[in-house]
Structure formats: C-alpha cells, structure tokens
Amino acid sequence: MQLTVWTYEGPPHIGAMRVATAMRDLHYVLHAPQGDTYADLLFTMIERRSQRPPVTYTTFQARDLGADTAEIFKRAAAEAYARFRPQAMIVGASCTAELIQDDPGGLARALDLPIPVVPLELPAYQKKENWGASETFYRLVRALSGPAPAPGAPRPGAGGRRPLCNILGPTALGFRHRDDVAEITGLLGRLGVDVNVTAPLGASPADLGRLGEADFNVVLYPEIARAAAQHLQKTFGQPMVETVPIGVGATRRFVAEVAALAGVDPGPVLEGAPSRLPWYARSVDSTYLTGKRVFIFGDATHALSAARIAATELGFRVVGLGTYTREFAREVRAEAALHGIEALITDDYLDVEAAIQAVQPELVLGTQMERHVAKRLGLPCAVISAPVHVQDFPARTSPQMGFEGANVLFDTWVHPLMMGLEEHLLGMFREDREFSDAAPSHLGGKPRAEAERSPAAAEPEPVTTVTLAPGQIVAWAAEAEKELRKIPFFVRGKARANTERYARERALPLITVETLYDAKAHFGR
C-alpha cells in the first residue's frame, strides 16, 4: 500500500458503494472503523446526489477491539434491515476492518434475515475500486438473476414482441454514465430494440431477477460489467455487444452489431446519423489543428476510445497512452503499439506527470489529475475519464457515447486548442495599438492598459527555477521567460525542454535571451 496525495482509484469497497448507490432497494452493511466512513462525500458533494448512499457502517472504535466486534456487526445488520426494509443486502468489510477477519458474510447468514444477503470478498490490499465494482455487480447478478432455464425452453415473452436487451455497466460516480444511458437508450429505440433492464444504475434486486428475459446484453463499461455479462451468456445463452459506442466510427459499429443480433435493419439509423463531428473535423479551423500531438490517460474504456477517435476521426497524433486499470493492460498495450508508442500502465500520478513532461504534447486528455498537471505545465486539457470532480457532473445532458456524444467530444477536445490559439495570437499582436486593450476572453484577465496602470505591473517578474535532474538546477531569467511566452503555445513546451537541455549540457546556470536563441539555432540545424 502506498500513501499518496491523489489516487485514481479507492479501495474495492468504494466500488461496491458505487454499485449499491446506483441501485434501488439494495442496502450495503459495511464493517468499518470510525474514519472509513468518508465515502458519503463522494456521492453527495461530488456527484451532487439528493440522498445519502444506502450504506450502514458498524463504525467501531479502537476501544471496541478488545471486545466483540462481531456482535457490533450483527447488531448493525439487523438494525439496517429493520429500518430500511430492502429487497436485498450486501455485506462486507473495509480495508481496515478486513484485518479483524470477522467474516461479515457468515455473521449475516447467522441472522437468518428474510431477504437475500450477498457476501462480498473484496481483498483491499490486492485490488482496487473498479475491480470492487465489477465483483460486486457480478456477485449480485449471480445471486439474483435466477437459475439457468431448461434446455430448449423458450425465452419468457419472446413471441410477438420487439427485440429486448439489457444495458449493463453504468454506476454511481461514473463519468457521464447517466447521460450515456439516456443517449444509448434512445439510439436502441430508434433501431427498434427495447431495453429490458439497465443495471446497476436505476435497477432494483427484483429487476436483476428479470435479466434472463432479454435477448442479448449491451456492455457499456467493460470494467464494471464484463464479468456479469459473461455469467449471463453462460447461464442464459445471451450474447453480448462489447463495442463501446464512443466516437462516430465506434457508434456505427455498435449499431451494426446490435442490428445483427436483433435482426433489424440498421440503415435508417446509420443514414440519419446526426453527429456533426465528421464535418467539423474536415472544416477549415479543424484542419488547421490536424496533426497536433495528444497524450491520453484514464480508465481503459475511455482511454482506448479516445486514442481511436484522436487518430482516426480528428487527425491528431497520439504520443502517449496509458491507464490505471491494470486488468485491461493488455488491450491498452495493443492499442498503443498501433500508434508506435509504449503504453503507460500505472496508478501513480507522478509517473503520468513525468511522461507528459517527457513528450511535451499539445493536448492532454485525462482525469482530474491530468487536468491539474496540464494547468501547471501550461497545456490545453480536456477531462475524458473518472476520477473527476463536481464540474464533470453537469446539470445539462452531456453524453460521451452515441452520435450526440461525438459532438460533445469534438467541442470538449478541440475548443481548448482553439482558445489557446486565440490567446497566442492576442499575445503576438499585443504591441500593436489596435490590440493594446485586448485580453483572452476565456481567461477573464484585466485589459493590458489597465494592467500597466496597476502598481503590480511595475514589479519585476521573478526568476523561474526548474529542476532538471537530481542535483542539477537551471534558472530562467525574467526576460528569457518573457521571450519564451512569445513562442506559439503548441511548441512552447518543446522549446522550453530543448533550451533547458542545451543549458544543462553546457553547465549554464542561468538561461538568458541569448541562451534561448542559441538553443533554437542549435536544434534547428
């Protein structure tokens, strides 16, 4: 276990909470000490849910360790059932309570509650949040979806109805899961396919009992739903659609795959595809942005999709690709190889920051951690994956999937580049009298004339110090830093790195304007 300021994933019991919070009439009894009960903040403050997650904590304290903590758990479970009357219950332990080895599953069975109780074995010191969500959903589906039908038995209600599918994978605290479900449900409806159950998001334990009635399953988020879908395929003979419909190309493949399973014509939906991304990507402004170098990091679903969209639909060049989802490392490495790069598989944000600095991309697509890193490095950035913060749970509908999701992606990814270009052009012409009062509209800064009148404007700019390697430090003179800012934003990072490398190789303690131009001439040969 590693202590860190930021983390991409919490322990696996947080994944279990994401499933429980997404569902209705399901309650989670968590054996946890005082201090492990912080997860409420994730849902009520970050996702802005209107109710607390359906979790009861035992909340034992240090003084209880000398007594019977098992009795504390049994009392909490009995009280939770009496108070909430759920259709089903899941029980487990947090990472700290796991060390006590009280066996919540066995203790819950001893209570003989009149509802299904699903025990969770979530090894907190070997696995993490997404695995915990996947395992929890799998255990619930396995326990509640019912037994396998008799060989040759017809599917319930199969005659005289439209094709029926389940949508699997969306959870609480997922990146745009609510909006993705709305978009894909509408897309399936236009194809002539009805949705039987969407789970975990919005489903009840009783709904999980109806999963076997569908003709096939749609797996929107493989990290969460692949294991459950494989169980349903084995038990009920339901095929699954694993194409994740993010981007125009993937959405078209998704439509074709669903149509083949449902026996419907995809033509009307494909011909009437409403996405404007292909046209925008061919427009003048976007052509000017073609070839920009992009670094991508996030969960496997969104990182893989982003790499394909960036390279094949927007004309970007992928110079970095990685994920913190180690269970999908093979798929990410295979995709990275197609772009001629080596995948970054890590859960340490400092490794990701170092990789971004090394390749000096012109755009970063990542999580909220990469947003902070890019801001510090002065790079445009768009968030494409959890973990995210409150601003990435918008009140408006903003899907990532489907044809409308492709429109959202174009706006989200390209606008930071275009606004950065605006800032650079304003900076280039700032000495022109016509533009003397101009400031980038998206930065909210003071006009130049007003800034020059303020006392702070007369103060000299501080020297920037940059650590290049252990024991080696190079400083930038204020005038050199000012000159560097005249370089276009999309090559400024590379110019900085080359100049620092030039200074380090020549043991120059201070980078001046002359050093900057000497380095430019050296690397321009």
Side-chain angles (χ1 to χ4, degrees):
M1 178 171 279
Q2 179 180 0
L3 294 177
T4 181
V5 177
W6 289 335
T7 180
Y8 290 100
E9 294 183 273
H13 73 267
I14 299 298
M17 283 187 187
R18 289 177 54 192
V19 172
T21 303
M23 294 183 64
R24 298 177 291 110
D25 296 322
L26 176 73
H27 202 81
Y28 185 16
V29 179
L30 182 63
H31 202 23
Q34 193 172 29
D36 274 5
T37 57
Y38 58 88
D40 282 14
L41 302 178
L42 297 175
F43 303 98
T44 58
M45 293 185 65
I46 295 180
E47 195 172 6
R48 295 183 291 194
R49 284 186 164 258
S50 58
Q51 66 245 4
R52 294 183 59 229
V55 182
T56 292
Y57 305 93
T58 56
T59 322
F60 58 84
Q61 301 178 43
R63 65 172 179 265
D64 297 317
L65 296 178
D68 190 357
T69 53
E71 189 59 36
I72 294 175
F73 176 85
K74 289 194 290 184
R75 183 167 61 249
E79 291 174 354
Y81 172 73
R83 178 181 177 186
F84 298 105
R85 297 288 174 174
Q87 293 180 11
M89 187 180 289
I90 54 177
V91 296
S94 73
C95 45
T96 309
E98 182 183 329
L99 301 175
I100 303 174
Q101 299 182 337
D102 272 338
D103 185 20
L107 294 173
R109 282 194 298 272
L111 293 174
D112 196 24
L113 297 174
I115 58 171
V117 177
V118 180
L120 301 178
E121 296 285 344
L122 305 178
Y125 298 95
Q126 290 83 38
K127 300 293 184 178
K128 293 201 171 183
E129 181 179 324
N130 275 340
W131 183 90
S134 174
E135 179 70 7
T136 300
F137 186 46
Y138 165 72
R139 293 291 172 187
L140 283 168
V141 168
R142 182 172 176 174
L144 302 176
S145 61
R155 201 173 298 281
R161 61 162 171 79
R162 300 209 313 175
L164 204 58
C165 76
N166 300 314
I167 295 178
L168 305 180
T171 68
L173 212 65
F175 185 62
R176 308 291 169 80
H177 287 194
R178 174 203 65 182
D179 300 341
D180 286 346
V181 168
E183 178 68 16
I184 297 306
T185 299
L187 183 61
L188 291 168
R190 293 194 296 275
L191 269 173
V193 177
D194 291 332
V195 175
N196 176 46
V197 173
T198 298
L201 189 63
S204 68
D207 291 330
L208 297 188
R210 299 188 293 107
L211 287 171
E213 298 175 8
D215 301 312
F216 61 93
N217 294 306
V218 170
V219 179
L220 290 189
Y221 309 99
E223 293 98 333
I224 308 299
R226 178 179 286 176
Q230 288 172 341
H231 171 76
L232 293 172
Q233 185 175 42
K234 181 179 179 181
T235 304
F236 297 100
Q238 296 170 326
M240 58 176 149
V241 177
E242 284 198 275
T243 298
V244 178
I246 300 180
V248 174
T251 300
R252 295 181 71 88
R253 292 193 299 274
F254 172 83
V255 168
E257 191 174 345
V258 168
L261 287 176
V264 298
D265 179 15
V269 172
L270 294 177
E271 292 166 7
S275 179
R276 292 175 289 278
L277 184 148
W279 161 243
Y280 286 159
R282 294 192 300 268
S283 70
V284 175
D285 287 342
S286 297
T287 300
Y288 186 80
L289 299 172
T290 297
K292 294 299 173 283
R293 303 165 73 252
V294 59
F295 183 96
I296 301 167
F297 192 86
D299 66 43
T301 292
H302 291 93
L304 288 169
S305 298
R308 293 163 187 158
I309 296 167
T312 63
E313 298 184 24
L314 293 178
F316 293 160
R317 178 186 167 200
V318 179
V319 296
L321 175 62
T323 184
Y324 56 83
T325 313
R326 294 183 181 274
E327 291 82 5
F328 287 75
R330 181 179 299 176
E331 289 93 328
V332 175
R333 288 192 177 104
E335 180 66 28
L338 297 177
H339 301 279
I341 57 178
E342 184 176 348
L344 177 64
I345 312 298
T346 182
D347 57 4
D348 189 335
Y349 70 93
L350 294 176
D351 291 343
V352 182
E353 180 173 0
I356 293 173
Q357 288 181 304
V359 300
Q360 290 294 328
E362 288 135 357
L363 175 66
V364 176
L365 303 176
T367 72
Q368 69 167 338
M369 268 76 99
E370 283 67 54
R371 172 165 48 201
H372 292 310
V373 169
K375 184 176 181 180
R376 194 160 57 247
L377 298 177
L379 298 172
C381 178
V383 174
I384 64 165
S385 163
V388 292
H389 216 322
V390 63
Q391 63 263 47
D392 295 302
F393 290 97
R396 69 186 185 280
T397 300
S398 184
Q400 302 290 286
M401 294 185 176
F403 294 117
E404 184 59 29
N407 295 334
V408 173
L409 289 178
F410 181 89
D411 290 343
T412 306
W413 298 7
V414 173
H415 286 176
L417 286 169
M418 297 178 72
M419 297 305 284
L421 179 62
E422 173 192 320
E423 179 183 352
H424 171 64
L425 291 175
L426 288 172
M428 281 180 61
F429 293 101
R430 185 140 307 174
E431 302 305 322
D432 192 305
R433 179 171 297 178
E434 182 180 353
F435 292 94
S436 62
D437 289 336
S441 60
H442 66 294
L443 296 182
K446 293 182 179 180
R448 182 170 181 267
E450 180 182 344
E452 288 177 345
R453 289 193 297 269
S454 84
E459 297 179 3
E461 296 185 27
V463 172
T464 301
T465 301
V466 180
T467 302
L468 298 174
Q472 294 181 302
I473 296 179
V474 170
W476 282 76
E479 287 300 317
E481 188 80 62
K482 182 178 179 181
E483 193 71 15
L484 179 68
R485 286 198 290 272
K486 295 179 181 179
I487 298 174
F489 74 96
F490 42 82
V491 292
R492 191 181 302 150
K494 187 173 182 180
R496 177 186 286 276
N498 283 345
T499 304
E500 290 169 353
R501 175 182 162 195
Y502 179 87
R504 185 182 65 229
E505 290 174 350
R506 286 156 182 77
L508 301 177
L510 182 69
I511 294 177
T512 63
V513 174
E514 290 75 18
T515 309
L516 179 63
Y517 282 100
D518 288 346
K520 178 182 177 182
H522 173 76
F523 288 104
R525 292 171 188 163

